Amino acid sequence: TETKTETTETKTVSTELSDEQLEFIDTAMKGESIFLTAAAGYGKSHCLKEMIKQLRARYDAPDADVSRVAICA
């Protein structure tokens, strides 16, 4: 995976995904039901943003059968 570092006003955040985060995204991309839970600072929001990005890339295509991604938080 590509590593990117973003600097915010208060801290630097690495955007590299862990093996567990990649597994979570892979499971979602297979269309399986998923539940994400972890301690503070694990990167849940980052993982969800990456998952949404990948799902949109797949399903927002003009020839896709589905045009929406639903997430409950």
Side-chain angles (χ1 to χ4, degrees):
T1 45
E2 181 180 313
T3 302
K4 180 180 175 186
T5 303
E6 297 176 9
T7 302
T8 63
E9 291 178 339
T10 57
K11 62 182 177 179
T12 299
V13 180
S14 172
T15 58
E16 183 176 344
L17 296 170
S18 70
D19 290 340
E20 291 86 4
Q21 291 168 319
L22 291 170
E23 182 179 348
F24 173 81
I25 292 170
D26 287 342
T27 301
M29 297 304 290
K30 292 176 187 173
E32 298 179 27
S33 295
I34 50 178
F35 180 82
L36 177 63
T37 184
Y42 175 78
K44 296 177 296 290
S45 295
H46 174 66
C47 185
L48 287 172
K49 288 176 187 177
E50 181 61 29
M51 181 193 68
I52 291 167
K53 179 179 156 186
Q54 290 187 28
L55 288 169
R56 283 188 175 148
R58 177 182 287 178
Y59 294 113
D60 279 351
D63 58 342
D65 292 335
V66 181
S67 63
R68 304 271 188 259
V69 174
I71 301 213
C72 299

